């Protein structure tokens, strides 16, 4: 064989080698893609140690969790205006100080709203039939109007008196002005039809204290902070583990804690 023929044969061998290598690479890509398409368990698992895997992108980090909402903080009876008046009034009756939060942060306005939306608001467990007489102070309320109606009238008159005297809505008054309005109601210095001003104030005050110290289940006493300010243990199931020990402050528990 001549030198020219040898050189031609070598070129043909190189071309054949390239063709075979190209065919192997094409077949490898096909098997890789087929393995992912058919399922890594069946095909990809068998060939995974032979086939180079494609690079995968790093997983996207999970989004930060949002603060959990308290769905108990929702209006069931009050309008937005009534709620704003109530919240401003109860904060003056039980204001925040160095001892702890006030009625606003304790959710007292929500407590009153929820109570008015239920049987308490309708006086469902009270005797509400005539005849009606003016009772003694020790007898409590003796009228025909239920608590829902008393709050409806009282909040409206609280707003009217504030606008008449200060030309502003009650929630917009300064703390001193709000105190003056509430004191006028407490002393029956405001002429209110159908109900007495002092009767509404007394109901509002007692409802405020109930909201501060009731179980959080009912909407007030948020995070049991009202109990914590008085070292009140709340709804404990038993005291047997500390009954014979010296006095100690017991962390408060809600009815929710016993589920």
């Amino acid at each position: 064989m001549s030198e020219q023929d040898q050189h031609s044969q070598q070129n043909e061998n190189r071309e054949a080698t390239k063709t075979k290598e190209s065919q192997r690479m094409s077949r490898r890509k096909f098997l890789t893609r087929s393995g992912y398409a058919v399922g890594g368990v069946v095909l990809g698992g068998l060939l995974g140690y032979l086939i180079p895997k494609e690079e995968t992108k790093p997983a996207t980090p999970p989004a930060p969790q949002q603060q959990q909402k308290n769905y108990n903080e929702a209006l069931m009876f009050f309008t937005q205006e009534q709620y704003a008046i109530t919240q401003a009034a109860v904060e003056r009756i039980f204001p925040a100080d160095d001892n702890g939060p006030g009625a606003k942060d304790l959710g007292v306005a929500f407590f009153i709203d929820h109570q008015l939306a239920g049987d308490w608001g309708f006086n469902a467990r009270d005797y509400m039939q005539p005849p009606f007489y003016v009772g003694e102070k020790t007898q409590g309320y003796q009228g025909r109007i239920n608590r829902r109606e008393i709050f409806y009238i009282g909040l409206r008159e609280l707003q009217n008196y504030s606008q008449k005297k200060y030309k502003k809505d009650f929630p917009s008054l300064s703390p001193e002005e709000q105190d003056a309005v509430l004191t006028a109601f407490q002393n029956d210095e405001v002429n209110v039809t159908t109900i007495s001003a002092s009767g509404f104030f007394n109901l509002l005050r007692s409802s405020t204290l109930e909201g501060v110290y009731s179980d959080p289940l009912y909407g007030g006493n948020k995070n049991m902070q009202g109990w914590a300010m008085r070292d009140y243990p709340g709804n404990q199931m038993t005291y047997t583990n500390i009954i014979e020990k010296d006095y100690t402050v017991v962390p408060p528990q809600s009815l929710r804690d016993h589920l």
Side-chain angles (χ1 to χ4, degrees):
M1 181 181 295
S2 66
E3 183 178 352
Q4 184 177 1
D5 292 338
Q6 291 179 356
H7 183 71
S8 177
Q9 184 65 38
Q10 290 176 354
N11 288 338
E12 290 179 0
N13 292 337
R14 290 193 192 99
E15 291 297 327
T17 301
K18 289 181 179 181
T19 301
K20 292 180 180 180
E21 184 65 26
S22 177
Q23 290 176 348
R24 285 198 297 269
M25 291 301 297
S26 298
R27 185 168 180 269
R28 178 177 296 180
K29 290 181 180 180
F30 170 77
L31 290 175
T32 301
R33 293 170 182 173
S34 299
Y36 291 136
V38 174
V41 175
V42 179
L43 183 57
L46 296 174
L47 302 178
Y49 67 97
L50 294 175
I51 304 172
K53 297 182 179 179
E54 297 180 0
E55 295 183 0
T56 58
K57 295 182 179 179
T60 305
Q65 294 183 351
Q66 296 181 352
Q67 186 176 2
Q68 187 175 5
K69 296 180 180 179
N70 183 358
Y71 290 97
N72 201 30
E73 294 183 345
L75 296 182
M76 301 179 182
F77 171 73
F78 286 145
T79 64
Q80 291 291 340
E81 181 184 26
Q82 291 169 335
Y83 171 76
I85 298 171
T86 303
Q87 181 160 260
V90 298
E91 180 66 18
R92 298 312 306 156
I93 294 174
F94 195 93
D97 56 19
D98 294 338
N99 295 319
K104 178 180 178 180
D105 291 333
L106 290 172
V108 170
F110 284 116
F111 167 82
I112 296 175
D113 169 79
H114 295 180
Q115 293 301 304
L116 290 172
D119 289 345
W120 186 80
F122 288 104
N123 292 63
R125 297 185 180 183
D126 299 336
Y127 184 80
M128 300 291 291
Q129 300 299 321
F132 298 101
Y133 299 101
V134 178
E136 299 295 332
K137 291 185 177 180
T138 56
Q139 292 180 306
Y141 179 66
Q142 299 292 313
R144 70 182 70 204
I145 300 177
N146 62 38
R147 296 185 183 95
R148 275 183 162 217
E149 296 167 322
I150 293 174
F151 264 89
Y152 180 84
I153 296 171
L155 294 175
R156 183 191 64 197
E157 295 300 329
L158 201 66
Q159 186 82 314
N160 291 340
Y161 183 78
S162 301
Q163 292 172 341
K164 181 178 179 180
K165 186 170 183 178
Y166 297 104
K167 310 301 180 184
K168 291 185 292 185
D169 293 341
F170 182 82
S172 301
L173 299 179
S174 66
E176 294 75 18
E177 292 171 339
Q178 290 175 343
D179 289 347
V181 172
L182 292 173
T183 301
F185 271 73
Q186 182 182 18
N187 297 333
D188 272 325
E189 298 172 1
V190 182
N191 293 323
V192 181
T193 59
T194 313
I195 64 173
S196 69
S198 62
F200 167 67
F201 174 83
N202 292 333
L203 180 60
L204 177 63
R205 181 181 181 276
S206 62
S207 301
T208 299
L209 296 179
E210 290 170 7
V212 171
Y213 297 118
S214 67
D215 192 284
L217 173 69
Y218 300 104
N221 189 16
K222 188 174 183 180
N223 297 325
M224 297 180 285
Q225 295 178 85
W227 289 345
M229 285 189 286
R230 303 185 67 87
D231 292 333
Y232 179 67
N235 294 299
Q236 300 285 332
M237 291 295 290
T238 179
Y239 295 92
T240 54
N241 59 329
I242 61 171
I243 196 68
E244 296 181 355
K245 298 180 181 179
D246 294 335
Y247 173 78
T248 182
V249 177
V250 181
Q253 288 188 342
S254 167
L255 292 171
R256 175 63 176 79
D257 297 326
H258 302 304
L259 292 179

